[in-house]
Amino acid sequence: MSQTAPLSMTAFAARRGQGEGTLAAWSWAWDMRSVNGKGLDLRLRVPDFVEGLEAAVRAEAGKRLSRGNVSINLKLSRAQGAETFRVNEAALATAIAALTKVQAAALEAGLVLAPTTAGDVLSVRGVTEAAVSDDSDTAALLAPLMADFHALLSDFNAMRASEGAALRAVLLAQIDAIEALTLEARAAAEARRPRQAEILHDNVRRLLGATEADPARLAQELALLAVKADITEETDRLSAHIAAARALLAQAAPVGRKFDFLAQEFNREANTLCSKSGDIALTRIGLDLKHLIDQMREQVQNLE
């Protein structure tokens, strides 16, 4: 399946199948679900009497998934009357030993127990069990089960793609909002410039402890404070991160890890902007940026 947007790690799919010909008595139900995860964690519950099934499922899932906590379950059954039963020799020996012990204890206590019949022994849990068909029958199940699993994976990835497209739309809207706030921060920084110069001048005079400061020293201190308060570098980096985020969302490959790191860089710049603001309007913009970036990071956690 071609991928045109990042995939979500959250999805669910289910399928039912029925054997044909000599396998007509067999039916099955697949289900597959996943949530976000740092890596790929496959948790399988499939019958072990179909040789090679678990290995084949793991291999196929590993080819088409790269991240997520994924659970894959298969319930396999035969039509009533098609099953035969066999005696579990180990369970039979255990049951007979237990009955012998009970009878011996009863005799010592002077109790007389009713005779134990074969039916009593067979009714003990585990003594009899459903017997699958011969090896050729169960081996023949592998092909139709895997054919259905391929279809299940396609359904599963289709849902991941649909969820991913929805996530992409949300993230792009959040990136647009971050861009608008970044532009607003630039404007607020420019608007505070005249007042900032007066404040810096007064602060330097207080620090130097004199009303008549040396003009060269005053200019030097003002320049240092102006550099510390300048947010041009932060807004430039935010603009670069915005461009990088849009580029990631345009890729047809897993981008969740890269986007998570990028979101951390977004947050770093917003924190620095807040620490440099020195202005109520700019501080408000910085806090709005941090809130929006936190929301974006939550959404990013679901991307493959």
Side-chain angles (χ1 to χ4, degrees):
M1 182 184 68
S2 62
Q3 181 184 334
T4 57
L7 297 177
S8 170
M9 283 188 283
T10 304
F12 172 80
R15 286 185 69 88
R16 292 184 176 274
Q18 180 78 41
E20 298 179 353
T22 59
L23 301 177
W26 291 97
S27 60
W28 54 83
W30 287 100
D31 71 74
M32 186 174 181
R33 65 193 70 215
S34 71
V35 293
N36 56 4
K38 292 183 178 180
L40 179 59
D41 181 12
L42 294 175
R43 302 175 187 180
L44 273 60
R45 294 181 62 185
V46 299
D48 56 7
F49 60 79
V50 182
E51 188 175 352
L53 178 61
E54 181 172 346
V57 168
R58 285 189 179 277
E60 189 62 25
K63 291 177 185 176
R64 301 178 65 180
L65 307 173
S66 63
R67 287 183 67 195
N69 293 319
V70 184
S71 297
I72 303 172
N73 303 305
L74 171 64
K75 293 180 180 179
L76 186 59
S77 58
R78 295 186 79 189
Q80 190 173 5
E83 287 185 326
T84 59
F85 290 88
R86 66 184 175 193
V87 175
N88 184 314
E89 299 292 343
L92 176 62
T94 300
I96 291 174
L99 287 170
T100 301
K101 187 174 182 179
V102 170
Q103 288 177 338
L107 286 174
E108 287 185 11
L111 299 175
V112 178
L113 299 179
T116 302
T117 66
D120 294 332
V121 177
L122 291 174
S123 67
V124 175
R125 185 175 181 181
V127 172
T128 59
E129 58 188 8
V132 297
S133 303
D134 58 29
D135 291 341
S136 62
D137 188 9
T138 56
L141 279 169
L142 181 59
L145 286 174
M146 286 306 298
D148 241 18
F149 181 67
H150 291 153
L152 178 79
L153 259 178
S154 294
D155 292 345
F156 183 75
N157 274 339
M159 182 173 181
R160 293 172 72 221
S162 176
E163 292 288 324
L167 276 174
R168 182 176 183 272
V170 170
L171 288 168
L172 284 174
Q174 290 172 334
I175 292 168
D176 287 345
I178 290 172
E179 183 176 44
L181 285 172
T182 301
L183 293 174
E184 193 176 337
R186 290 183 192 273
E190 189 63 31
R192 73 171 182 171
R193 195 179 300 279
R195 175 60 181 155
Q196 185 185 33
E198 295 178 13
I199 294 173
L200 290 176
H201 193 281
D202 292 342
N203 287 341
V204 170
R205 286 186 179 279
R206 282 199 300 271
L207 288 172
L208 295 178
T211 55
E212 295 295 333
D214 177 63
R217 177 72 184 280
L218 181 61
Q220 183 181 21
E221 295 296 333
L222 283 172
L224 288 173
L225 289 174
V227 168
K228 290 181 179 179
D230 185 28
I231 65 163
T232 302
E233 185 176 354
E234 285 67 36
T235 54
D236 285 347
R237 285 179 179 168
L238 282 170
S239 295
H241 295 339
I242 289 166
R246 287 175 175 152
L248 281 177
L249 290 176
Q251 293 182 21
V255 297
R257 290 182 184 278
K258 291 181 180 179
F259 210 130
D260 186 44
F261 173 76
L262 187 59
Q264 295 177 47
E265 295 302 304
F266 268 104
N267 196 54
R268 193 191 313 278
E269 302 308 328
N271 283 334
T272 307
L273 189 150
C274 284
S275 68
K276 286 185 173 183
S277 67
D279 179 81
I280 294 176
L282 200 51
T283 299
R284 177 191 60 76
I285 295 170
L287 292 175
D288 287 346
L289 270 171
K290 283 174 59 65
H291 178 66
L292 194 55
I293 291 165
D294 283 342
Q295 290 181 330
M296 183 177 70
R297 287 191 69 184
E298 289 179 6
Q299 297 293 344
V300 168
Q301 300 307 311
N302 292 317
L303 284 181
E304 184 184 55

